Amino acid sequence: MNTNIESVLDSNGVLFVEGVRYLYNPETGEAWTKKTVADYVAKLAAEREVVMKDIEPEAAALPVYELNDIQVSAVESAQTVELGNGGIYWLPTDTAFTITANAKDVPDNRLMVMVEKVVDATRAIDDERFVATVKKGKLSLTGSFDKTGNYTLSAKRLNEGLERIEMPFRVSFPTVEFDVYRA
């Protein structure tokens, strides 16, 4: 069995395996790390089958824009958003928050963003919708959660939406997670 599979993880966190682009780990939906790349390529080598999952062939040629310097803050100074253990944002219900990020090269636009309510930090059971605005390389989104729970904003889910509405780009960013509680 030939186990030599060419792979490259670029500076944007996109994995290329034998010329096929993977925006995120198709098995977990998470961003790539050196370990997950090694595990994934080893699995492919063992199976000797490269299958592109979760990305249509025409999407593979689309530009991927990195969102970085993501900030989450309370809209009103009397309210708090705390960065808690595990990098999870803690906020009370009905607290207005703003998410901002650098969105260099993302075309000016308004985007519907799905923030999923999850169980076990992975299994989506519902979602909340927010409108994000991208203008001059800056993304901003304002919202609040009226119910307690664990919520995630992920590149995987946003890219699924971008694909569905046939936007000519995809995005890459670390998952933003919220624990919403009753104060």
Side-chain angles (χ1 to χ4, degrees):
M1 171 186 344
N2 182 0
T3 60
N4 185 17
I5 293 180
E6 181 182 330
S7 67
V8 174
L9 182 63
D10 74 10
S11 62
N12 291 322
V14 177
L15 176 65
F16 293 86
V17 178
E18 296 185 331
V20 178
R21 179 186 299 197
Y22 294 84
L23 301 178
Y24 50 86
N25 186 328
E27 296 176 340
T28 66
E30 296 295 320
W32 293 105
T33 65
K34 288 182 181 179
K35 178 169 179 11
T36 59
V37 167
D39 291 348
Y40 189 71
V41 171
K43 179 181 174 194
L44 291 178
E47 296 172 355
R48 201 58 194 138
E49 180 181 336
V50 178
V51 177
M52 189 164 79
K53 299 177 182 174
D54 300 324
I55 303 173
E56 294 297 320
E58 59 271 9
L62 296 176
V64 177
Y65 301 125
E66 182 178 357
L67 305 181
N68 56 37
D69 193 24
I70 298 170
Q71 302 291 319
V72 180
S73 58
V75 171
E76 298 176 23
S77 61
Q79 297 178 321
T80 62
V81 173
E82 178 182 350
L83 185 56
N85 296 331
I88 301 170
Y89 291 95
W90 298 358
L91 65 154
T93 55
D94 301 317
T95 297
F97 64 88
T98 298
I99 299 174
T100 58
N102 289 331
K104 183 182 175 194
D105 300 323
V106 177
D108 287 0
N109 214 319
R110 290 181 64 203
L111 302 170
M112 186 63 64
V113 175
M114 292 69 58
V115 179
E116 295 179 313
K117 186 170 189 176
V118 294
V119 175
D120 297 328
T122 58
R123 188 168 44 98
I125 58 171
D126 201 0
D127 65 33
E128 297 283 329
R129 307 282 171 127
F130 302 101
V131 175
T133 302
V134 178
K135 189 168 187 173
K136 295 182 181 177
K138 298 289 183 185
L139 177 137
S140 64
L141 173 156
T142 301
S144 66
F145 298 103
D146 60 353
K147 294 182 180 170
T148 63
N150 183 215
Y151 295 85
T152 59
L153 169 59
S154 70
K156 176 184 182 294
R157 180 63 182 97
L158 185 52
N159 285 329
E160 288 170 356
L162 293 173
E163 179 179 354
R164 185 165 187 263
I165 62 172
E166 300 180 0
M167 291 298 286
F169 64 89
R170 300 297 180 262
V171 294
S172 172
F173 61 91
T175 297
V176 180
E177 187 172 355
F178 302 90
D179 272 339
V180 180
Y181 63 94
R182 292 246 181 259

